[in-house]
């Protein structure tokens, strides 16, 4: 008798929880949000909808996809800040190239809204400059200031200050800006010594399926990459060492990326295993951080 009562209670609770879940998903659909079932590639139909075949489902879901806007993002990758809060030569060149590129895009298609993304937080390779009020100057702060001083409106400048390396640039530009702005296209700008790894990382990050969106919504913005000259940013020996380091980093990330099936798996790896982002990571001791001005990276 007790066994039957226990089974009845278990079935009742399971049914009650399932109904609550279905009601919450149905409410999400009514409000225009994508319900959890829609975020997988399992082929399930969203709660509150009739069962359909695959072709009908593909026609039904696009109405719930985020809209793609006629926006072109010009992404400027950070590369250090001097102790006075200014940009080193190799970064100011990236900003200058971004300004010229944005003007060319506007002339080519006046209907496209061009917006800038200054990507870069704090570097593990150098001490961060501090303003007189005690505020830390991020790479994206210095980049945005440089653009505004040259007439670019603040309303068209996004700052991403979570990243501390190239992988972080790609992941957090996607999460914090591109997924919200939903651009149709984007240009990523960096230095010649850096651009090959940049392209590999950004392309791999955007190629991974994002389980937050239904398969019919998996449309990444078209991407192009623009490299600025390395001339006079460092002596040839330092540049060659940097190029070799970039090649090693690119190969290492490609090997690691082959283990990911989704963007979410990449994000979990980044936040649990990458030394710059994992919560268990030990911050670099101050006596190990260079005390000089920004160095080439």
């Amino acid at each position: 008798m007790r066994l039957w009562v226990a089974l009845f209670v278990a079935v009742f609770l399971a049914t009650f929880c399932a109904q609550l879940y279905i009601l919450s998903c149905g409410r999400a659909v009514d409000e225009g949000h994508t319900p959890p079932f829609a975020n997988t590639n399992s082929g399930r139909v969203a709660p509150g909808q009739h069962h359909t075949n695959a072709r009908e489902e593909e026609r039904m879901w696009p109405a719930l996809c985020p809209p793609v806007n006629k926006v072109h993002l010009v992404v400027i990758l950070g590369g250090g800040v001097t102790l006075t809060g200014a940009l080193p030569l190799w970064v100011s060149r990236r900003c200058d190239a971004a300004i010229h590129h944005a003007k060319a895009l506007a002339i080519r298609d006046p209907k496209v809204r061009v917006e800038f993304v200054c990507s870069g937080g704090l570097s593990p390779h150098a001490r961060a400059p501090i303003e007189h009020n005690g505020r830390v100057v991020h790479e994206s702060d210095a980049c945005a200031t440089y653009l505004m001083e040259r007439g670019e409106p603040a309303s068209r400048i996004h700052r991403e200050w979570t990243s501390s390396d190239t992988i972080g640039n790609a992941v957090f530009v996607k999460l914090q800006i591109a997924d919200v702005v939903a651009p149709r296209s984007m240009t990523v700008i960096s230095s010649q010594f850096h651009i090959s790894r940049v392209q590999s990382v950004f392309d791999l990050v955007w190629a991974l399926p994002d389980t937050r969106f239904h398969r019919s919504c998996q449309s990444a913005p078209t991407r192009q990459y623009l490299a600025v000259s390395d001339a006079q940013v460092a002596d040839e020996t330092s540049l060659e060492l940097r190029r070799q380091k970039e090649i090693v980093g690119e190969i290492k990330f490609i090997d690691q990326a082959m283990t990911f099936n989704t963007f979410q798996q990449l994000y979990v790896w980044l936040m649990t295993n990458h030394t710059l982002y994992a919560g268990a990571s030990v911050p670099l001791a101050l006596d190990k951080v260079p005390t000089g001005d920004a160095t080439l990276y």
Side-chain angles (χ1 to χ4, degrees):
M1 183 64 180
R2 291 180 179 177
L3 177 60
W4 282 107
V5 171
L7 286 174
F8 176 81
V9 172
V11 170
F12 174 81
L13 289 175
T15 303
F16 179 73
C17 291
Q19 290 297 322
L20 284 178
Y21 179 78
I22 290 171
L23 285 171
S24 64
C25 291
R27 187 178 299 112
V29 171
D30 292 337
E31 294 174 356
H33 303 302
T34 304
F37 281 165
N39 298 340
T40 71
N41 292 327
S42 62
R44 301 184 196 180
V45 179
Q49 298 283 354
H50 298 293
H51 289 281
T52 61
N53 58 39
R55 185 173 299 176
E56 290 173 339
E57 182 186 352
E58 292 300 328
R59 288 199 301 266
M60 176 178 64
W61 276 112
L64 297 177
C65 296
V68 176
N69 299 312
K70 202 166 185 180
V71 173
H72 186 101
L73 292 181
V74 179
V75 182
I76 306 163
L77 300 191
V81 182
T82 69
L83 291 178
T84 61
L87 295 178
L89 175 60
W90 55 93
V91 183
S92 63
R93 278 184 181 166
R94 300 174 193 178
C95 292
D96 291 337
I99 294 171
H100 291 302
H101 185 62
K103 290 178 179 177
L105 289 169
I107 294 172
R108 189 183 310 163
D109 188 352
K111 294 181 180 179
V112 172
R113 178 180 172 87
V114 181
E115 300 182 1
F116 297 95
V117 178
C118 291
S119 177
L122 299 176
S123 168
H125 306 290
R127 293 176 183 265
I130 308 295
E131 293 181 337
H132 67 278
N133 59 3
R135 183 179 181 276
V136 173
V137 179
H138 295 81
E139 293 177 354
S140 56
D141 296 331
C143 168
T145 299
Y146 188 94
L147 295 178
M148 288 187 289
E149 287 175 346
R150 282 150 185 82
E152 299 301 332
S155 60
R156 294 202 177 193
I157 300 174
H158 304 270
R159 290 182 295 170
E160 177 281 300
W161 50 38
T162 309
S163 61
S164 294
D165 73 334
T166 308
I167 302 172
N169 289 142
V171 168
F172 295 113
V173 165
K174 171 179 164 54
L175 275 177
Q176 298 178 11
I177 298 169
D179 284 353
V180 178
V181 176
R184 182 172 297 179
S185 53
M186 60 192 291
T187 301
V188 185
I189 301 177
S190 192
S191 300
Q192 188 67 52
F193 68 81
H194 188 213
I195 202 67
S196 177
R197 182 157 72 104
V198 169
Q199 181 167 354
S200 293
V201 171
F202 272 74
D203 282 351
L204 283 167
V205 166
W206 255 272
L208 289 170
D210 192 328
T211 59
R212 294 172 299 164
F213 306 116
H214 187 261
R215 59 178 174 269
S216 63
C217 300
Q218 302 284 345
S219 57
T222 57
R223 294 174 303 284
Q224 58 181 314
Y225 300 88
L226 180 60
V228 300
S229 172
D230 293 337
Q232 299 180 338
V233 298
D235 61 85
E236 190 54 38
T237 300
S238 298
L239 271 173
E240 186 56 34
L241 288 173
R242 185 63 201 188
R243 293 184 190 114
Q244 294 300 320
K245 182 178 180 181
E246 293 296 335
I247 292 172
V248 172
E250 181 177 356
I251 295 171
K252 184 177 179 181
F253 177 72
I254 291 173
D255 288 342
Q256 182 65 53
M258 293 302 101
T259 66
F260 306 134
N261 294 317
T262 65
F263 174 76
Q264 281 64 31
Q265 290 177 355
L266 164 62
Y267 181 79
V268 169
W269 168 81
L270 184 74
M271 303 306 290
T272 56
N273 292 280
H274 196 296
T275 54
L276 294 179
Y277 305 102
S281 296
V282 178
L284 194 61
L286 281 178
D287 61 352
K288 302 295 183 183
V289 179
T291 57
D293 226 330
T295 55
L296 186 67
Y297 72 93

